Amino acid sequence: MQEKIIKYIEEELANEEIDGGLEITEDLLGSGILDSLGMMKLIAFLEEEFGCKVLPEEMVIENFMTVAHMKEYLISKQ
């Protein structure tokens, strides 16, 4: 799961080259890897790839700040 998320971010969304690869605990917005539009694209990818619906009240930074947070969130949705 986390490998698919990392690959999508690195290949499709990253605003800059990520030296050494993306760490699962890296703050995606705070570090500038993603902007708000990139985050929305990422949420759409997660919904399609993992077959879940992200409700508006679940679109909070705590669920999507890092790949590790996304993994925990997606597991909780199963």
Side-chain angles (χ1 to χ4, degrees):
M1 176 184 295
Q2 68 190 31
E3 291 81 16
K4 284 184 179 182
I5 297 170
I6 289 171
K7 183 177 179 184
Y8 181 75
I9 292 169
E10 289 178 340
E11 293 180 359
E12 302 293 331
L13 299 177
N15 288 327
E16 56 192 53
E17 189 70 28
I18 302 169
D19 293 330
L22 178 64
E23 297 292 325
I24 65 167
T25 57
E26 195 158 358
D27 180 349
L28 298 171
L29 289 169
S31 66
I33 294 171
L34 293 182
D35 57 17
S36 56
L37 179 59
M39 189 59 70
M40 295 308 297
K41 289 179 180 179
L42 178 59
I43 290 171
F45 166 78
L46 295 174
E47 288 180 324
E48 183 177 316
E49 183 70 26
F50 299 104
C52 67
K53 178 69 178 152
V54 179
L55 301 174
E57 60 268 17
E58 297 171 335
M59 289 185 193
V60 294
I61 193 66
E62 292 81 12
N63 289 335
F64 303 99
M65 184 184 308
T66 68
V67 173
H69 285 102
M70 285 179 243
K71 180 182 173 185
E72 290 175 22
Y73 169 74
L74 291 168
I75 290 171
S76 76
K77 294 286 285 182
Q78 295 178 344

